[in-house]
Amino acid sequence: DSGVTQTPKHLITATGQRVTLRCSPRSGDLSVYWYQQSLDQGLQFLIQYYNGEERAKGNILERFSAQQFPDLHSELNLSSLELGDSALYFCASSAGTASYEQYFGPGTRLTVT
Amino acid sequence: DQQVKQNSPSLSVQEGRISILNCDYTNSMFDYFLWYKKYPAEGPTFLISISSIKDKNEDGRFTVFLNKSAKHLSLHIVPSQPGDSAVYFCAAPFGGSNYKLTFGKGTLLTVNP
């Protein structure tokens, strides 16, 4: 158990809809990262938050947004969903200071029909 | 552009033998590398890492070798056990101090009893 929790585990929704994925980092970790894993792709970095502030953006679509709350949990919002958004979404956390190791949650499997 | 490449999608070895998983990278600025292991329906789990100031790092049955001139690293598992069967990802932090990771596409290791 990495100590990172993600909800829900599975999500099935229709095209055009909006969903919110939730992540709670390990106790004490200030950095949260979101990654997407599609069928034929490795893990792709989406976005990073550190102590409530956005720190880095990867190949995140404009339809996607995220935030980190004062209690350090984070949410990834996906809107105007398309079939191609079906993927595994992982959240990871790290201490964020001189620590490269990231600890991953179990992921949320999103299926868009 | 895939900066970290794992060219073997799968590898099958016999229990007790050595497993060698390979990873190549293109960015000579990378100075730290990590290996993650992933079981189905779970998030990636940190396994072992290596800094570019070293050429070898060992942790029990797992050893990572780094050849900077060839931009190549490998993960050796000796002896391999059936419980090692998983997808292995190599990763490197990129983009300055934010520690976000770029991953290879992974190699599925199957250890046969």
Side-chain angles (χ1 to χ4, degrees):
Chain A
D1 185 357
S2 67
V4 178
T5 60
Q6 288 187 250
T7 56
K9 282 187 80 71
H10 303 277
L11 203 45
I12 301 174
T13 189
T15 54
Q17 295 298 304
R18 172 190 166 96
V19 296
T20 297
L21 313 184
R22 183 189 167 104
C23 169
S24 292
R26 289 189 320 162
S27 177
D29 283 356
L30 300 178
S31 267
V32 169
Y33 306 79
W34 286 96
Y35 293 87
Q36 179 192 57
Q37 185 181 24
S38 304
L39 257 179
D40 59 347
Q41 296 290 325
L43 288 139
Q44 303 284 323
F45 168 72
L46 294 178
I47 196 164
Q48 178 206 2
Y49 277 81
Y50 176 81
N51 203 21
E53 293 188 4
E54 182 186 301
R55 274 296 177 90
K57 260 184 171 177
N59 298 324
I60 187 167
L61 299 171
E62 284 190 15
R63 300 184 285 109
F64 296 1
S65 65
Q67 55 186 134
Q68 186 179 27
F69 295 86
D71 67 353
L72 300 177
H73 92 270
S74 178
E75 293 180 357
L76 179 67
N77 301 296
L78 315 176
S79 61
S80 303
L81 284 167
E82 301 175 358
L83 295 176
D85 298 327
S86 296
L88 268 168
Y89 291 86
F90 289 103
C91 165
S93 74
S94 74
T97 51
S99 171
Y100 289 121
E101 287 83 18
Q102 295 178 17
Y103 296 87
F104 283 77
T108 293
R109 180 173 290 283
L110 173 66
T111 302
V112 182
T113 61
Chain B
D1 181 27
Q2 197 80 19
Q3 298 190 74
V4 176
K5 298 179 184 178
Q6 294 176 260
N7 294 318
S8 298
S10 63
L11 174 68
S12 182
V13 300
Q14 284 300 119
E15 181 178 5
R17 305 296 287 267
I18 184 171
S19 296
I20 301 176
L21 299 114
N22 294 304
C23 180
D24 297 299
Y25 60 96
T26 57
N27 190 336
S28 57
M29 298 297 289
F30 287 160
D31 60 4
Y32 198 88
F33 301 90
L34 305 94
W35 285 93
Y36 281 82
K37 178 169 76 172
K38 185 182 179 306
Y39 293 118
E42 294 184 13
T45 303
F46 169 71
L47 191 58
I48 191 170
S49 61
I50 188 166
S51 164
S52 61
I53 62 173
K54 295 184 172 182
D55 54 18
K56 176 183 173 181
N57 189 26
E58 194 170 349
D59 183 2
R61 295 185 298 113
F62 302 90
T63 303
V64 57
F65 295 92
L66 176 61
N67 182 333
K68 289 186 288 293
S69 61
K71 296 197 186 73
H72 177 83
L73 61 154
S74 60
L75 174 68
H76 293 212
I77 307 173
V78 184
S80 301
Q81 299 173 353
D84 296 329
S85 298
V87 177
Y88 289 79
F89 294 96
C90 65
F94 72 105
S97 61
N98 291 321
Y99 308 143
K100 51 192 182 293
L101 298 175
T102 183
F103 285 83
K105 291 191 178 182
T107 297
L108 173 62
L109 173 65
T110 303
V111 181
N112 301 301

